[in-house]
């Protein structure tokens, strides 16, 4: 991707775009962004590492985010985590070798009326059960 | 006190993708009225209504607008804070998803009142799926000429709870790490790019069009002496009917969690998410208002089977992860509290741990940079007050031997 950043205020937006298009923020891009915005590479890295939706390590094509906050936890999030591990072979924090999924545990995603809830990419899956996990994952290739 | 729909007036009644369905319900009438009067009069109306910020802090909305209007400078900004991240909150999601046009109208009214030609909506990353809905609503409103001379830009968050704090939010819009700023200066004098700025929560803004159309006298007749209007709550946890409810300010906690949400054997209730208050079931008759208990409206109910210590531990782990790390009391304090709570959870804690929790709570409350750190010890101080026996029963029973 090409970097079209002219001002420092555009750095975060550019990082968000890179995350969407490339699945992570490569070192070369951070160097390029720093030069274009007139700030240090350290500062760009500081931004990229601050936000939980940005990653400097390659992530899978689809990111599974399971809410681990209290409202989901008491409604069975632990069982959902176990069944995702069973269905995908991934433990929280891992990315599949074929690059299909990354599996993360995250803080409240604002879907507590449908606990337990997970997000895959931008999509919300709420009110799910352990049995529904394989079919949900099947939709993301 | 009853349920009353002011903020949620259009939820379920309009098609959130259709401007025409919004126009049939007085859509953009308040903006027309505001643009036909002097901005000072609009501000007077909002001041007289007694509307206070719904993001948790409760600052008078009209006063914020007035300070910003009076600040010198041609360039001013209005920011809609749609970054609700408090554990258990989903009220603003419900509003955005069901009534995006009212929010846009309210931002435009605020912009007109304070003299801003540009508005931002800072949308949390977890709500990115509503980006298309909001984009369409802004486009439709522009095409039909309702936003003439005013521009609204959506900025996506990238996953950071602290960015719901207004100064961290502004840093994020400026493209930086979302870290809290030293105050003063406050946003009305020096906010986004050091320009006078108003930051209002989604729910606060949603109250503005009805206030303009129906008048401040109507609005201020609702609620309590110091809390006017209604409050929107999101209720989750051990309840049969989790969801979003709007009640007149001053309604009792019992009406919300027992009568409406149908709580089952509640034992403790967290009011306002991770930085919110924790109260025992004996306090169900407390009124929900700024002068008693309120927060941003996230209510999580825990029944008799839930462990108080575990609730506090998880709450503290959340805050330790989400602390931006800029100031020491919050960054270190939350981490130390996690360690102490782990000792209570494993039965390793001693009397000294309670003393340390109490001392640390005071330090964090007075010396943290922003609301996150200042309010971070709330779960600890409340449970030490109401559930002290639980802490004491979880301390190490045997005297400690000296390790060689």
């Amino acid at each position: 991707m090409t970097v079209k950043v002219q001002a420092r205020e555009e750095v975060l937006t550019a990082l968000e775009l890179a995350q969407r298009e490339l699945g992570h923020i490569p070192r070369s891009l951070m160097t390029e962004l720093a030069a274009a915005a007139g700030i240090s590479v350290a500062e760009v890295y500081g931004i990229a590492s601050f936000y939980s939706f940005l990653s400097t390590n390659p992530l899978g094509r689809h990111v599974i985010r399971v809410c681990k906050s209290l409202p989901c936890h008491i409604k069975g999030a632990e069982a959902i985590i176990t069944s995702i591990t069973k269905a995908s072979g991934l433990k929280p924090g891992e990315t599949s070798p074929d690059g299909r999924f990354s599996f993360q545990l995250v803080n409240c995603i604002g879907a507590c009326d449908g606990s337990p809830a997970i997000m895959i990419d931008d999509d919300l899956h709420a009110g799910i059960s352990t049995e529904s996990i394989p079919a949900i994952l099947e939709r993301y290739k | 006190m009853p349920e009353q729909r002011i903020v949620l007036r259009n939820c379920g009644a309009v098609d959130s993708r259709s401007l025409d369905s919004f126009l049939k319900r007085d859509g953009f009438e308040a903006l027309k009225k505001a643009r036909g009067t002097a901005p000072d009069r609009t501000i007077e109306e909002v001041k007289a209504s007694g509307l206070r910020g719904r993001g948790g802090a409760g600052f008078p909305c009209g006063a914020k607008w007035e300070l910003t209007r009076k600040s010198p400078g041609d360039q001013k900004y209005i920011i809609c804070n749609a970054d609700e991240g408090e554990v258990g909150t989903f009220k603003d999601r419900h509003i955005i998803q069901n009534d995006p046009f009212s929010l846009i109208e309210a931002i435009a009214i605020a912009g007109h009142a304070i003299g801003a030609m540009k508005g931002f909506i800072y949308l949390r990353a977890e709500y990115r799926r509503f980006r298309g809905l909001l984009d369409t609503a802004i486009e439709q409103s522009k095409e039909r000429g309702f936003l003439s001379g005013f521009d609204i830009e959506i900025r996506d968050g990238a996953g950071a709870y602290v960015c719901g704090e207004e100064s961290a939010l502004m840093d994020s819009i400026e493209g930086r790490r979302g870290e809290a700023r030293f105050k003063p200066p406050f946003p009305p004098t020096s906010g986004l790019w050091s320009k006078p700025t108003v930051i209002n929560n989604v729910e606060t803004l949603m109250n503005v069009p009805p206030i303009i159309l129906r008048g401040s006298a109507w609005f201020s007749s609702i609620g309590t002496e110091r809390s006017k209007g209604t409050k929107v709550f999101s209720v989750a946890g051990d309840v049969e009917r989790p969801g979003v409810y709007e009640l007149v300010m001053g309604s009792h906690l019992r009406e919300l969690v027992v009568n409406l949400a149908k709580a089952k054997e509640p034992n403790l209730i967290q009011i306002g998410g991770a930085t919110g208050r924790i109260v025992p079931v004996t306090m169900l008759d407390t009124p929900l208002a700024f002068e008693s208990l309120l927060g941003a409206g996230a209510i999580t109910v825990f029944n008799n089977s839930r462990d108080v210590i575990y609730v506090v531990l998880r709450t503290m782990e959340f805050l330790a992860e989400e602390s931006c790390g800029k100031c020491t009391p919050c960054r270190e304090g939350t981490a130390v509290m996690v360690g102490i709570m782990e000792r209570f959870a494993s039965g390793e804690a001693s009397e000294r741990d309670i003393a340390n929790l109490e001392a640390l709570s005071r330090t964090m409350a007075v010396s943290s940079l922003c609301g996150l750190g200042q309010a971070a010890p709330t779960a600890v101080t409340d449970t030490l007050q109401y559930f002290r026996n639980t802490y004491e029963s979880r301390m190490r029973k045997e005297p400690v031997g000296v390790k060689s």
Side-chain angles (χ1 to χ4, degrees):
Chain A
M1 63 179 280
T2 32
V3 182
K4 285 180 227 139
V5 165
Q6 279 144 21
R8 73 157 352 278
E9 69 153 295
E10 295 165 30
V11 171
L12 178 56
T13 311
L15 292 173
E16 288 174 335
L17 186 67
Q19 184 66 48
R20 299 194 152 265
E21 293 194 354
L22 310 173
H24 78 296
I25 296 155
R27 203 187 174 109
S28 57
L29 182 85
M30 287 190 266
T31 317
E32 226 179 304
L33 277 176
I39 56 177
S40 70
V41 184
E43 196 176 342
V44 176
Y45 178 76
I47 300 165
S49 57
F50 183 82
Y51 296 94
S52 65
F53 275 58
L54 304 179
S55 173
T56 52
N57 297 317
L59 293 182
R61 291 191 296 284
H62 306 291
V63 181
I64 306 167
R65 293 185 168 89
V66 178
C67 176
K68 63 172 175 177
S69 289
L70 278 164
C72 278
H73 178 79
I74 65 174
K75 295 283 174 158
E78 293 301 324
I80 298 292
I81 293 165
T82 312
S83 59
I84 290 175
T85 297
K86 213 173 134 193
S88 67
L90 298 175
K91 290 196 188 93
E94 292 180 346
T95 295
S96 43
D98 64 357
R100 184 175 166 205
F101 287 121
S102 285
F103 179 17
Q104 300 178 348
L105 302 186
V106 299
N107 285 325
C108 191
I109 56 176
C112 329
D113 45 348
S115 301
I118 69 170
M119 287 180 73
I120 302 183
D121 304 333
D122 289 340
D123 308 334
L124 175 75
H125 299 275
I128 55 171
S129 63
T130 50
E131 295 81 39
S132 60
I133 293 295
I136 293 172
L137 296 189
E138 204 44 47
R139 284 144 66 180
Y140 298 86
K141 295 292 178 185
Chain B
M1 270 175 256
E3 286 187 89
Q4 183 172 350
R5 291 167 82 89
I6 295 175
V7 171
L8 306 180
R9 60 196 174 275
N10 289 335
C11 293
V14 299
D15 172 359
S16 56
R17 298 200 169 268
S18 156
L19 175 56
D20 287 318
S21 79
F22 173 63
L23 294 178
K24 281 187 198 132
R25 290 183 60 94
D26 292 336
F28 285 118
E29 289 299 322
L31 177 60
K32 266 184 228 163
K33 190 173 170 187
R35 284 185 168 176
T37 48
D40 288 337
R41 281 200 53 196
T42 301
I43 291 173
E44 278 312 314
E45 203 64 29
V46 174
K47 274 176 75 180
S49 76
L51 176 65
R52 294 170 65 177
R54 300 300 197 240
F59 193 84
C61 180
K64 204 186 247 190
W65 288 15
E66 186 175 43
L67 285 168
T68 310
R69 170 145 198 98
K70 286 183 173 165
S71 285
D74 305 331
Q75 195 86 39
K76 291 174 187 179
Y77 298 104
I78 163 79
I79 300 172
C80 168
N81 184 345
D83 194 51
E84 60 170 356
E86 209 43 271
V87 174
T89 193
F90 47 90
K91 68 177 179 73
D92 293 343
R93 182 207 79 202
H94 184 81
I95 294 166
I96 291 165
Q97 164 170 35
N98 288 292
D99 194 12
F101 289 104
S102 287
L103 185 60
I104 288 162
E105 178 180 18
I107 296 169
I109 294 169
H112 183 258
I114 64 166
M117 280 172 295
K118 172 117 189 172
F120 288 92
I121 298 175
Y122 187 86
L123 184 67
R124 74 181 297 214
E126 292 82 352
Y127 294 171
R128 166 107 191 167
R129 63 187 182 282
F130 304 120
R131 177 71 201 254
L133 184 75
L134 280 170
D135 281 335
T136 310
I138 292 171
E139 243 165 68
Q140 287 185 15
S141 308
K142 259 188 195 163
E143 273 169 17
R144 301 276 281 273
F146 290 111
L147 297 181
S148 59
F150 186 69
D151 183 39
I152 300 180
E153 186 179 336
I154 300 171
R155 285 298 181 95
D156 294 308
Y161 165 78
V162 70
C163 287
E165 192 281 328
E166 60 181 18
S167 66
L169 188 156
M170 292 189 294
D171 266 21
S172 186
I173 291 182
E174 291 179 13
R176 303 167 196 270
R177 289 162 68 92
E179 291 180 350
R181 298 177 182 177
F182 287 93
K183 294 175 190 175
F186 291 96
T189 47
S190 176
L192 191 59
W193 294 296
S194 307
K195 308 292 184 193
T197 304
V198 164
I199 300 128
N200 281 144
N201 170 263
V202 169
E203 183 190 342
T204 312
L205 285 163
M206 290 295 286
N207 281 289
V208 169
I211 289 171
I212 300 301
L213 283 182
R214 302 178 68 173
S216 56
W218 160 76
F219 191 83
S220 64
S221 71
I222 303 161
T224 70
E225 196 192 336
R226 286 163 58 200
S227 307
K228 300 301 185 189
T230 60
K231 181 76 189 82
V232 180
F233 298 95
S234 56
V235 188
D238 292 313
V239 295
E240 273 172 35
R241 296 182 52 201
V244 174
Y245 300 93
E246 180 172 5
L247 276 82
V248 170
M249 285 277 197
S251 300
H252 288 192
L253 184 56
R254 182 187 301 279
E255 296 178 69
L256 180 63
V257 303
V258 178
N259 302 1
L260 293 171
K262 310 282 181 205
K264 295 171 284 186
E265 298 176 347
N267 179 32
L268 68 154
I269 300 132
Q270 193 167 34
I271 298 164
T275 51
R277 304 288 310 275
I278 292 183
V279 299
V281 68
T282 50
M283 284 174 71
L284 276 175
D285 292 310
T286 310
L288 293 160
F290 289 112
E291 54 268 46
S292 43
L293 268 181
L294 199 63
I299 310 276
T300 310
V301 178
F302 298 93
N303 69 22
N304 283 322
S305 74
R306 314 296 176 191
D307 176 13
V308 176
I309 298 295
Y310 190 72
V311 168
V312 178
L313 170 60
R314 291 295 286 242
T315 297
M316 205 49 71
E317 280 174 349
F318 169 87
L319 294 166
E321 274 177 36
E322 297 292 349
S323 169
C324 81
K326 183 170 176 173
C327 77
T328 312
C330 176
R331 183 187 64 239
E332 302 300 326
T334 51
V336 169
M337 281 190 167
V338 167
I340 297 177
M341 291 312 300
E342 278 171 346
R343 284 204 288 282
F344 278 102
S346 63
E348 301 287 308
S350 65
E351 188 67 47
R352 208 172 138 188
D353 283 313
I354 290 189
N356 284 343
L357 279 177
E358 283 171 336
L360 194 50
S361 294
R362 285 190 296 273
T363 306
M364 290 165 72
V366 298
S367 62
S368 293
L369 192 50
C370 81
L372 197 166
Q374 289 158 16
T378 310
V380 166
T381 49
D382 275 345
T383 49
L384 276 174
Q385 182 177 348
Y386 301 120
F387 298 91
R388 202 176 183 98
N389 288 345
T390 310
Y391 280 85
E392 283 163 356
S393 71
R394 299 288 276 278
M395 289 192 291
R396 185 164 32 204
K397 302 283 185 293
E398 305 297 318
V400 193
V402 181
K403 282 181 185 167
S404 53

